[in-house]
Amino acid sequence: MIQSVRQSTVRFAALVTLGLLASCASRPAPTTANANPIVWPAPPNPARFAFERSISGPSDLGVKRSTMGRFADWLTGETRGNGAFARPFGLALDEDGNLCVTDTAAKSVGCFDAKTTRWHRWTAVGKREFESPVSVAKAKDVLYVADSGRGEVIAFDVAGHLKFVCREHLSRPVAVLLTGERLLVADSERHAIVVFNLRGEYESEFGKRGTAPGEFNFPTHLATDAAGKIYVTDSMNCRVQIFDAKGEFCSQIGRMGDSPGCFSRPKGVAVSPQGHIYVADALFDNVQVFNAEGRLLLPVGEAGNGPGEFGLPAGIAIARDNRIYIADCYNSRVQVLRYLGDE
């Protein structure tokens, strides 16, 4: 009898909790008007960039848990992969504009599917657990993840099936880039860019440790532009080097210093559809924007934790609609800016 009463009480409490969760879910979220939008440069200059929003986790992308799922989270104290970001570091956008994020503190890789409004998250591929996933690229439902802790690049499909693993000629891979039918990997320990085909087979490499053009001192991030040029953040040399599709040196942007146009610890690099080059600096806590000739156009952001402020910005990805996604690592979020036009 006592056991039956207890069971009924538990069931009743569960039903009440489910009702409360459903009620809360049905209420519209409060909205606040942004009467004073954050823009760069500051008024009265014409605005070129605007802060749009922050993404602190899948829920900010419109991903919703079912009522039963939220109740299970409440019971277990877990979020089953839909929790807030811890240390977002690497970013990528696939051909459909879906956002991929590596979270180094959570040792996970996530990908948003805008069509289904679902968030896919992996902490392992088969029995191969991620240790330090720092960079991701995605195309045709295949993800390529550089895991610097494991010393390898892992390729797998969205169903979680392993495609291949690149270990040959790699020591500490920190960045991946898809360009044409090639997979480029920046290896910070070998100070080189290693080229594989899309079957994971080694093809070639370029670069060695040094300070001369074409040499590297801890390369950390990669990007490409519409012409197929390759952009490499040469972090400890405080510059971004630009190569042609064959890996031949073309030019460089930046140098060591603390004035505009200089770098201290450059990280993420990306090239917009307009040909503008964006470079995040982890010590300046900003993003500097250059034109195609390497002339500084504008620094964006500053140190802090408010909108448009950064704490160790890392990866950058730019969408075709001129939205700029920046991994704001120490603030546990991805910030989204928008290019307004008119250089």
Side-chain angles (χ1 to χ4, degrees):
M1 178 66 177
I2 293 175
Q3 183 178 3
S4 176
V5 170
R6 287 175 177 170
Q7 290 174 343
S8 297
T9 302
V10 170
R11 286 196 295 270
F12 177 75
L15 289 172
V16 170
T17 303
L18 287 171
L20 288 172
L21 287 171
S23 175
C24 291
S26 64
R27 297 173 186 170
T31 58
T32 56
N34 190 0
N36 297 303
I38 300 169
V39 297
W40 297 270
N45 300 294
R48 301 291 184 249
F49 295 88
F51 169 81
E52 190 164 278
R53 63 171 173 151
S54 288
I55 303 170
S56 296
S59 62
D60 292 330
L61 292 165
V63 177
K64 297 180 180 178
R65 294 278 282 150
S66 67
T67 300
M68 286 300 298
R70 293 196 303 275
F71 180 57
D73 294 344
W74 177 77
L75 286 176
T76 63
E78 299 177 354
T79 54
R80 300 180 184 273
N82 286 339
F85 299 142
R87 289 287 183 269
F89 193 85
L91 301 180
L93 293 164
D94 67 11
E95 60 269 22
D96 296 320
N98 295 316
L99 180 67
C100 300
V101 182
T102 69
D103 192 323
T104 55
K107 300 181 180 181
S108 68
V109 179
C111 185
F112 177 61
D113 187 330
K115 289 184 179 179
T116 61
T117 323
R118 289 187 60 192
W119 177 256
H120 303 274
R121 180 177 180 268
W122 301 268
T123 57
V125 179
K127 295 182 178 179
R128 183 175 259 99
E129 295 184 349
F130 291 123
E131 293 183 9
S132 184
V134 290
S135 181
V136 60
K138 180 177 181 287
K140 299 178 181 178
D141 290 332
V142 177
L143 292 94
Y144 306 81
V145 176
D147 191 314
S148 61
R150 298 188 62 93
E152 57 191 26
V153 173
I154 304 167
F156 59 98
D157 63 23
V158 292
H161 300 137
L162 182 68
K163 292 291 188 179
F164 60 79
V165 176
C166 298
R167 282 190 296 265
E168 184 183 4
H169 298 275
L170 294 179
S171 181
R172 191 173 180 81
V174 293
V176 287
L177 171 70
L178 292 170
T179 173
E181 295 299 311
R182 301 184 302 163
L183 173 67
L184 274 61
V185 183
D187 193 302
S188 64
E189 193 168 293
R190 295 193 58 237
H191 310 281
I193 309 303
V194 187
V195 183
F196 299 87
N197 62 28
L198 296 188
R199 296 184 299 277
E201 299 165 340
Y202 172 83
E203 289 192 346
S204 62
E205 61 184 79
F206 60 92
K208 63 178 181 178
R209 190 167 197 180
T211 60
E215 298 177 344
F216 302 111
N217 194 11
F218 293 94
T220 58
H221 289 74
L222 296 169
T224 188
D225 63 14
K229 289 183 178 178
I230 301 161
Y231 297 71
V232 183
T233 301
D234 188 8
S235 189
M236 298 301 287
N237 281 330
C238 298
R239 63 188 179 185
V240 171
Q241 297 199 64
I242 305 172
F243 300 83
D244 66 16
K246 297 180 180 179
E248 297 293 328
F249 175 82
C250 296
S251 61
Q252 73 174 49
I253 295 172
R255 54 186 172 80
M256 182 181 294
D258 57 6
S259 59
C262 297
F263 300 124
S264 182
R265 286 294 180 272
K267 291 286 187 182
V269 60
V271 185
S272 73
Q274 293 77 23
H276 296 157
I277 304 159
Y278 294 67
V279 185
D281 196 296
L283 284 189
F284 292 160
D285 288 318
N286 69 3
V287 175
Q288 298 190 68
V289 186
F290 301 82
N291 67 9
E293 289 72 42
R295 177 173 61 87
L296 177 67
L297 299 177
L298 187 69
V300 174
E302 60 185 63
N305 54 22
E309 298 175 345
F310 298 98
L312 204 158
I316 303 177
I318 302 177
R320 289 189 293 268
D321 62 4
N322 288 324
R323 282 175 169 81
I324 303 110
Y325 297 78
I326 304 165
D328 189 7
C329 188
Y330 281 178
N331 286 323
S332 303
R333 63 190 179 184
V334 175
Q335 296 204 61
V336 185
L337 312 182
R338 185 161 46 90
Y339 174 60
L340 303 177
D342 294 331
E343 178 182 327

